[in-house]
Amino acid sequence: MRKITALTAAVLTVASVLTHTASAQQPGIKRTDLQRHDLSVPGREVNQVLIEFGPGISFPKHSHPGEEVVYVVDGSLEYALDGRPPVTLRAGEALFIPAGTPHAVKNVGSGTAAELATYIVEKGKPLLVLSPTSPK
């Protein structure tokens, strides 16, 4: 039984790394992992990532296994959350994205845009899950 548990944990870890790596390697997007820590709430962790988007670059509809708090550091980014009209944020503005909410983001400015994304998520799950309608 321990071997099965260890194998399951290894598979989940590899899947998480592959999902994260795939999103990190998308042309025009640069991800810099800043920190990852366990929280005092069992089974939860916080991840903080700086994400830079080249001009006109977008990231397709996806969700996270927890909340995301976005702070736009530079430029203008448009966020399209399911069930809401799109919202454009500029440097210095923030957005809360509820757990599991499908959303997409696009750089709508003329230069590079950047966000500080803080994820409060379930530990051991992939940080990012592409929506079925999104290209892979």
Side-chain angles (χ1 to χ4, degrees):
M1 188 63 154
R2 286 185 186 190
K3 287 182 181 181
I4 292 172
T5 303
L7 181 58
T8 301
V11 168
L12 288 173
T13 300
V14 169
S16 177
V17 168
L18 289 176
T19 300
H20 182 267
T21 301
S23 66
Q25 294 177 352
Q26 180 176 340
I29 296 179
K30 178 183 175 189
R31 292 179 60 98
T32 304
D33 293 325
L34 301 174
Q35 59 179 330
R36 171 182 267 171
H37 297 284
D38 289 342
L39 295 175
S40 60
V41 177
R44 303 293 257 179
E45 67 181 4
V46 63
N47 296 297
Q48 203 164 50
V49 181
L50 179 65
I51 307 167
E52 299 171 76
F53 300 83
I57 297 295
S58 61
F59 193 84
K61 191 181 288 191
H62 62 283
S63 63
H64 306 283
E67 292 77 12
E68 178 181 7
V69 180
V70 173
Y71 176 80
V72 178
V73 176
D74 194 19
S76 298
L77 293 167
E78 179 184 83
Y79 296 87
L81 280 68
D82 273 8
R84 299 186 193 176
V87 61
T88 299
L89 301 181
R90 290 166 180 64
E93 296 180 314
L95 177 68
F96 177 81
I97 302 172
T101 301
H103 59 284
V105 60
K106 180 178 182 178
N107 179 352
V108 293
S110 59
T112 299
E115 70 175 24
L116 177 64
T118 303
Y119 306 97
I120 304 159
V121 295
E122 293 180 55
K123 190 172 180 174
K125 289 194 174 181
L127 182 59
L128 182 145
V129 178
L130 289 174
S131 295
T133 58
S134 295
K136 293 181 180 173

